[in-house]
Amino acid sequence: MGAFLQVRPCGTPPFFALDMNPKDKVIAITGASTGIGRELALQLARQGNRVALAARRPVLLEDLKKEIEHLGGKALAVPTDVSKRNEIVAFVQKIQNEWGRLDIFISNAGITHPPRPLLELDESSVRQVMETNFMAAIYAVWAAAPVMEKQGGGQLVFVSSIVGKRGVAKNAVYCASKFALQGLTESIRMELKPKKIRVLTVCPPGVDTPFFEVNHRSAERRYRLHPVQKIARMIIQAIDRGRREVLLTEDAKIMHWLNVFFPGFLDWAVAYVKRSE
């Protein structure tokens, strides 16, 4: 990885300079018990960083903490419901109490609703998705950004989705939550730049994690799911390079640009794929 988390956009000076030592950053990760969050925690810990883990399932968090410590890393497990502002505030406070700083906050936790048309969804499902996927990101900014500003800088990372760029049928609220996240990150990127806080948005495609099974989407799919190890590695590379936004894979990029130039064709293609689910 080279000089890890050096935050150095090509051809420009860094907005902030954390300790340029390639190790020992303090990194918070939500949704850390499974999937992308878990793999990020493992890879980052192996590189010598201290990782604070947040998720709703304490047993899985403790198992991950023990695995990281067995590998020689340092981890802090904090059971957290990210849809509740006070719990994210408490999470950040525990990180400060334990390690005295917070260099990077990765807002990764996300849920979705069963694959149904909007007219068949109830209000409670809609609110749950929006509170976990969108409001939690706002709570993360409110909790983490002041800490980072006081220490001289930091980085906020938001795991969005390619469907935050292009809506798909039977996913209306999930897509809306990711579109909202895109608008949020584009706006705060400008607001936080003077405070020396970077904002990175990553837009992965379908990833081979328990997300689909947990969220009632384990049906056979006509498109491939990407290995979680690869996606986590690409996210870390984007952090390291000081990127502002990345479409992580070629299929995500193709979907995005087809939507820009041939939206009618993509309507047909997405509908064709959705018929198989």
Side-chain angles (χ1 to χ4, degrees):
M1 287 291 297
F4 176 61
L5 300 185
Q6 199 169 303
V7 193
R8 53 187 194 295
C10 181
T12 61
F15 292 147
F16 68 89
L18 302 175
D19 179 4
M20 288 303 174
N21 189 304
K23 296 183 178 180
D24 205 27
K25 299 293 181 293
V26 174
I27 304 174
I29 306 170
T30 67
S33 59
T34 61
I36 294 174
R38 185 180 190 280
E39 185 61 29
L40 281 169
L42 287 169
Q43 292 191 24
L44 289 165
R46 289 191 192 104
Q47 294 176 349
N49 301 284
R50 290 171 284 177
V51 291
L53 316 169
R56 289 179 294 180
R57 290 178 279 185
V59 174
L60 293 179
L61 278 185
E62 281 299 323
D63 289 344
L64 177 58
K65 179 177 182 291
K66 291 176 182 177
E67 184 175 351
I68 289 170
E69 290 174 342
H70 179 72
L71 296 170
K74 296 180 181 179
L76 175 67
V78 185
T80 304
D81 182 347
V82 298
S83 69
K84 294 179 170 58
R85 182 180 181 182
N86 65 308
E87 295 199 21
I88 291 187
V89 170
F91 176 47
V92 171
Q93 187 60 56
K94 287 181 180 179
I95 296 170
Q96 287 185 279
N97 292 343
E98 183 75 15
W99 290 322
R101 62 181 299 110
L102 174 58
D103 299 314
I104 299 169
F105 192 109
I106 302 176
S107 182
N108 166 73
I111 62 171
T112 189
H113 48 82
R116 297 174 186 164
L118 178 61
L119 291 176
E120 296 178 12
L121 293 176
D122 57 56
E123 184 177 345
S124 63
S125 296
V126 172
R127 290 188 178 278
Q128 187 178 20
V129 170
M130 294 303 295
E131 287 169 2
T132 301
N133 295 3
F134 178 63
M135 289 305 301
I138 291 178
Y139 300 152
V141 176
W142 284 343
V147 174
M148 293 177 177
E149 182 180 8
K150 287 180 182 178
Q151 69 191 22
Q155 191 169 26
L156 298 170
V157 181
F158 299 89
V159 179
S160 182
S161 171
I162 187 56
V163 298
K165 297 284 192 180
R166 160 71 205 206
V168 295
K170 299 183 181 180
N171 291 263
V173 178
Y174 179 73
C175 293
S177 71
K178 296 300 186 178
F179 268 80
L181 187 59
Q182 290 290 133
L184 173 71
T185 55
E186 288 180 9
S187 300
I188 65 172
R189 185 174 291 117
M190 295 180 284
E191 296 173 1
L192 296 176
K193 179 179 176 180
K195 302 179 186 297
K196 300 181 181 179
I197 299 172
R198 288 189 173 280
V199 176
L200 165 64
T201 313
V202 293
C203 302
V207 183
D208 190 7
T209 72
F211 178 87
F212 291 100
E213 182 177 352
V214 169
N215 291 288
H216 316 289
R217 300 192 176 198
S218 57
E220 183 178 352
R221 320 181 77 79
R222 293 192 179 186
Y223 55 87
R224 68 188 178 111
L225 298 176
H226 292 268
V228 67
Q229 295 85 356
K230 178 183 78 171
I231 295 300
R233 186 169 61 252
M234 295 176 76
I235 291 172
I236 293 171
Q237 289 172 348
I239 295 171
D240 184 36
R241 294 168 182 171
R243 301 288 297 276
R244 61 190 306 278
E245 179 179 287
V246 286
L247 300 172
L248 288 179
T249 59
E250 291 303 317
D251 50 342
K253 294 173 184 176
I254 289 170
M255 184 174 180
H256 170 64
W257 290 112
L258 282 176
N259 190 53
V260 171
F261 293 108
F262 305 103
F265 170 77
L266 195 57
D267 284 347
W268 172 85
V270 170
Y272 176 79
V273 170
K274 298 301 288 184
R275 282 199 297 268
S276 67
E277 298 181 24

